[in-house]
Each structure stands twice: as C-alpha cells, then as structure tokens.
Amino acid sequence: MKTIAIDIRLIGRDRTGDEAVFRNLVRSVLELDRTDRYLLLTDRSDRETIERIHTDLGKSGRLRENAEVVYLHSSNRFSWNLFAVPSFLRHRRIDIFHTQYILPAFVPRRTRIVTHIHDVSFRAFPNLIGAIDRLFLSVFIPRTMRRSDVIVTPSHFTKDEIVKLYEVSPERIVVVPNAVDPSFLVEPSSHELERARSANGLPDAFFLSVGTMQPRKNIPLLIRAFADVHTRFPEMKLVLVGGRGGKRYDHDIDIALCEMNLGNAVIFPGYVAQEDMPSVFRLARGFVFPSRYEGFGIPILEAFAAGIPVAASDIPPFREVGGEAIAYFGPTDVAACAETLYTLLDDNEVEKGRGRAANERLAQYSWEKSAQAMVSCYQSFSDEA
C-alpha cells in the first residue's frame, strides 16, 4: 500500500476548467483504487469547503476509508509552496505527491513527483500574460519539469509541446485525457431547461461560447464573425459565458463590440452555476470555440453530449479531441468563421453526419478510463521499486 498526497486546493473555488478536471479525476481515482491511501491537501478549513470536498469527491457526502482531507495552513500560495507542503512532506512518509504546474520547494528525494500540466499557453504566448507571472513561471516551471518523475498532460498535443519547449524526454510524460462531467450525460427536464434559461437571461435562439475571456480565447474574432451572421439572421444572439473584466481580460472584446454595433445581440450572463451548464448547452443552436491555443477542449465534449453542432478553430488539440465531428475555421479568418456559423444553422445531412461522429468521439472519453490511466501511473512506481 502506498500513500499518495494530492494537491486539491482548486476544488471548491468555483473555477471552470482545471478545477473540473481535478474534481472528476480525483473522484474517479478514489472510486477505482480501494487499496492505496490518499491524503487530499487543501489550504481551507472552513466547514462549508470541507463538506463540499466530501460531496464532490465521495459518495453520499462521504469519502472512502482510504481517503482523508488534510488541511495545511497557508496565508498565500507562496507560503504554501515554501513552507506548508515541504514541512508536511518531510514529516509524513509520502510515497507520491501529485500537484499542478508548480512544485513546492525542498521536496524530499524519497517522494515521487507527479505534476499535472494542463497546457503551456504561458510559454507559447508569453506576451499574453503579465510580466510578474511570466517571470514566476519562467523560473519555476523548468525546475518543476526537471524534478518531476512523471508529467501528466491531457493531450498528445500538449505532450509534444512540452517535449519541444522544455526538452523533456517523452518517456516521462503520460497522457491522461480529460472527459465530460457526468451531469452532461443526463438529459435535463423541460423544467430544468426553462429554469436555466430564466436564471441566466438566455434568449430563444443563440450561439454559445464558454471560457475565460483572455486574449488567447480569440473572442473578438468570434464577435466580428457573428456580426455578419446577425445581419442575415437578426433573431440569433451570441451568449458568452465567462468572467468579463477578470484577470488578463481581453479589452479587444470591448473594441469589437463597439465596432460591430451589436447592441443587445451579444449577451454576457457572467458566472453560470455548474448545475445549469448542461441545460445551457442544450438550449444553444450551436457551440463555438474560437481559441488560438488550448491544451484539450472539454467544452467540445460537453457540446457533443448536449447534441448540438460545434464550430471550432482549426488547431491541433481540437482536431485531436473532435476529429471530423467539428466544423473548423482558421483562427485568424473572420470570414471563414462567419461561414462556418452559417453551417450550424442548416439541418442538413452534413450536420447529421457530424452528429453521428460526435457520439463516436464522445464515447472514447470517460473519467473512468482516465482514472485507470492515472492509477496505472501511480502503480508504475511500485513496479520500478
């Protein structure tokens, strides 16, 4: 039996993307592995957060006997990495420590390190992040890459990027794909659909895009392309789910809105509760993912599960996830994006074929399969011992 510590600080913070990945992956790992001992490390001790962790990662609000939530006091992320985690690892016999991106300082050599890297957009597009963050990542990411025994990525594209940008041996990188949250696999009732529409101010007919509004998400291009569609189909709206004005907000979004003079045709519902998201997807006429850079693309699978067509920028990770089930456009081509949006409105044989392909792609991904790959990664250390 091994003791595996996992950094779960993101769980309970209402963040999309990386929080959803770790919540689903850790929950599935705990369900699969009944032998090893799991210590789930968090920097929050309030009752509400602890109860939420138990609800998110256990069954009926309880963790299995081989899992335990461990609170490590920390005033900020720097003291967590410099003091809290190193002290914990020195005083407890931890066989494997699983973290994300940044490895804490002074980790004992006896502890094997598994580091999750969701994408390396910060290295591919360094001009799109702040100077302080860029300096911090340029110092600590290479150190983390060198010390990690295994680096976990969600796609072969991200694996190739790490090999290319950080000269890491591909043998040290394990691909553990993401998957769709189980809530998307249950069809919402008519009541749930209408409640989600009302709660989030959704129109009758709309295209949907979901994600942070950072420059790499390429939202201005989508707004300009949608403006062309709106002139021919004025009943169509564009719903952009995500934090407007948050960290690294793309102010070109505001410029594009002013240039296109779209008025209330573009809707910003802000944060949408997780329980509403399956309904929001099913209410949309189509999902659009215009990003210039991603590590995977979970929203593509969410759209597949909702049974709506997908238009996405033609970048390698989207090809890897969606195959031929997606209508692609060049990530810098406004006219091509607009033309692709028109195809989402046509109920033709091409879209029906893409729907069948979408179901086939969706079936290839599950958190159970990903958990099996993750547990096999943990077990590989025993095989080497």
Side-chain angles (χ1 to χ4, degrees), residues 255-316:
I255 295 173
L257 288 170
C258 290
E259 288 179 354
M260 299 296 104
N261 193 28
L262 287 166
N264 63 358
V266 179
I267 298 167
F268 295 86
Y271 173 75
V272 174
Q274 179 61 32
E275 59 266 26
D276 284 347
M277 287 304 295
S279 295
V280 171
F281 269 84
R282 287 179 184 264
L283 290 168
R285 290 287 298 274
F287 176 72
V288 192
F289 210 171
S291 291
R292 286 187 281 171
Y293 193 96
E294 295 286 343
F296 187 78
I298 291 178
I300 292 172
L301 299 180
E302 293 171 340
F304 288 170
I308 61 173
V310 177
S313 53
D314 194 355
I315 58 177

Side-chain angles (χ1 to χ4, degrees), residues 112-139:
R112 299 300 190 102
I113 303 301
V114 175
T115 303
H116 227 102
I117 304 290
H118 301 285
D119 68 68
V120 289
S121 57
F122 49 84
R123 177 70 183 273
F125 291 93
N127 59 308
L128 301 184
I129 64 175
I132 294 177
D133 286 341
R134 188 162 60 245
L135 176 62
F136 181 82
L137 292 170
S138 68
V139 172

Side-chain angles (χ1 to χ4, degrees), residues 30 33-39 63-68:
L30 296 180
D33 187 357
R34 312 291 181 85
T35 302
D36 295 315
R37 186 185 183 202
Y38 287 87
L39 302 180
L63 294 174
R64 293 195 174 276
E65 292 182 356
N66 63 327
E68 174 188 354

Side-chain angles (χ1 to χ4, degrees), residues 115-318:
T115 303
H116 227 102
I117 304 290
H118 301 285
D119 68 68
V120 289
S121 57
F122 49 84
R123 177 70 183 273
F125 291 93
N127 59 308
L128 301 184
I129 64 175
I132 294 177
D133 286 341
R134 188 162 60 245
L135 176 62
F136 181 82
L137 292 170
S138 68
V139 172
F140 288 99
I141 290 293
R143 170 187 172 274
T144 297
M145 297 284 192
R146 291 191 298 269
R147 174 62 178 85
S148 299
D149 295 281
V150 170
I151 297 168
V152 176
T153 71
S155 64
H156 291 280
F157 167 74
T158 300
K159 175 179 179 177
D160 293 342
E161 288 284 271
I162 291 173
V163 171
K164 177 180 69 177
L165 296 173
Y166 291 96
E167 298 182 349
V168 174
S169 170
E171 287 74 23
R172 292 173 51 218
I173 304 175
V174 174
V175 176
V176 178
N178 297 331
V180 69
D181 190 277
S183 62
F184 280 84
L185 304 177
V186 179
E187 185 171 356
S189 66
S190 58
H191 171 73
E192 289 172 321
L193 291 171
E194 289 310 309
R195 183 184 60 78
R197 188 190 298 277
S198 175
N200 298 286
L202 302 179
D204 291 333
F206 64 93
F207 292 122
L208 174 68
S209 190
V210 174
T212 59
M213 296 190 186
Q214 299 172 3
R216 70 183 173 94
K217 297 295 186 175
N218 211 17
I219 299 300
L221 176 135
L222 172 57
I223 291 172
R224 292 186 171 91
F226 170 74
D228 185 274
V229 177
H230 186 62
T231 59
R232 290 173 54 184
F233 299 92
E235 74 280 7
M236 286 298 298
K237 311 289 186 183
L238 175 62
V239 173
L240 301 174
V241 173
R244 190 179 184 187
K247 186 178 181 182
R248 297 196 294 275
Y249 173 72
D250 186 358
H251 293 284
D252 285 344
I253 292 173
D254 300 326
I255 295 173
L257 288 170
C258 290
E259 288 179 354
M260 299 296 104
N261 193 28
L262 287 166
N264 63 358
V266 179
I267 298 167
F268 295 86
Y271 173 75
V272 174
Q274 179 61 32
E275 59 266 26
D276 284 347
M277 287 304 295
S279 295
V280 171
F281 269 84
R282 287 179 184 264
L283 290 168
R285 290 287 298 274
F287 176 72
V288 192
F289 210 171
S291 291
R292 286 187 281 171
Y293 193 96
E294 295 286 343
F296 187 78
I298 291 178
I300 292 172
L301 299 180
E302 293 171 340
F304 288 170
I308 61 173
V310 177
S313 53
D314 194 355
I315 58 177
F318 291 172

